[in-house]
């Protein structure tokens, strides 16, 4: 991941974005496994448009402040669809899903 950028704030924003997408997809208040998180962050950082979109989202939705306001849904844009698709594929191919699906 370091090879893609040294911008630690962008990496943090991408990680927060991945966790938010995962929460929406799984309806859980948690995060994907560390390996899936890292792969999804790398997926974001590998594309300039996705990186820009995530940085813009982070400017509008401060993720490092506690709040009692209800959570806001992520914008349903190209970045969301791409990252959600990536996470869906990762979730479908996880060992847990394969083992306990049937």
């Amino acid at each position: 991941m370091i090879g893609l950028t040294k911008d630690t704030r962008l990496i943090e924003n991408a990680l927060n974005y991945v966790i938010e997408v995962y929460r929406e997809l799984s309806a859980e208040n948690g995060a994907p496994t560390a390996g899936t998180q890292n792969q999804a962050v790398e997926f974001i950082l590998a594309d300039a448009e996705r990186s820009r979109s995530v940085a813009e989202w982070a400017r509008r939705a401060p993720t490092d402040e506690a709040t009692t306001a209800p959570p806001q849904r992520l914008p349903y844009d190209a970045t969301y669809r791409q990252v959600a698709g990536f996470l869906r594929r990762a979730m479908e191919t996880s060992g847990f899903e394969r083992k306990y699906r049937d």
Side-chain angles (χ1 to χ4, degrees), residues 58-100:
R59 279 191 285 281
R60 290 190 317 268
T63 58
D64 55 355
E65 296 179 16
T67 180
T68 57
Q72 299 296 310
R73 290 200 49 114
L74 295 169
Y76 190 75
D77 57 9
T79 298
Y80 179 88
R81 289 186 295 275
Q82 292 167 6
V83 173
F86 182 90
L87 284 174
R88 278 189 192 103
R89 287 187 299 278
M91 289 163 54
E92 287 172 359
T93 60
S94 74
F96 181 82
E97 290 292 323
R98 280 193 310 252
K99 185 175 180 181
Y100 296 105

Side-chain angles (χ1 to χ4, degrees), residues 27-87:
E28 295 177 5
N29 189 18
T33 63
T36 301
Q37 285 179 21
N38 291 341
Q39 291 173 5
V41 168
E42 288 178 5
F43 177 74
I44 290 169
L45 299 177
D47 181 79
E49 182 57 30
R50 283 191 294 263
S51 294
R52 185 207 56 76
S53 178
V54 166
E56 180 60 32
W57 164 78
R59 279 191 285 281
R60 290 190 317 268
T63 58
D64 55 355
E65 296 179 16
T67 180
T68 57
Q72 299 296 310
R73 290 200 49 114
L74 295 169
Y76 190 75
D77 57 9
T79 298
Y80 179 88
R81 289 186 295 275
Q82 292 167 6
V83 173
F86 182 90
L87 284 174

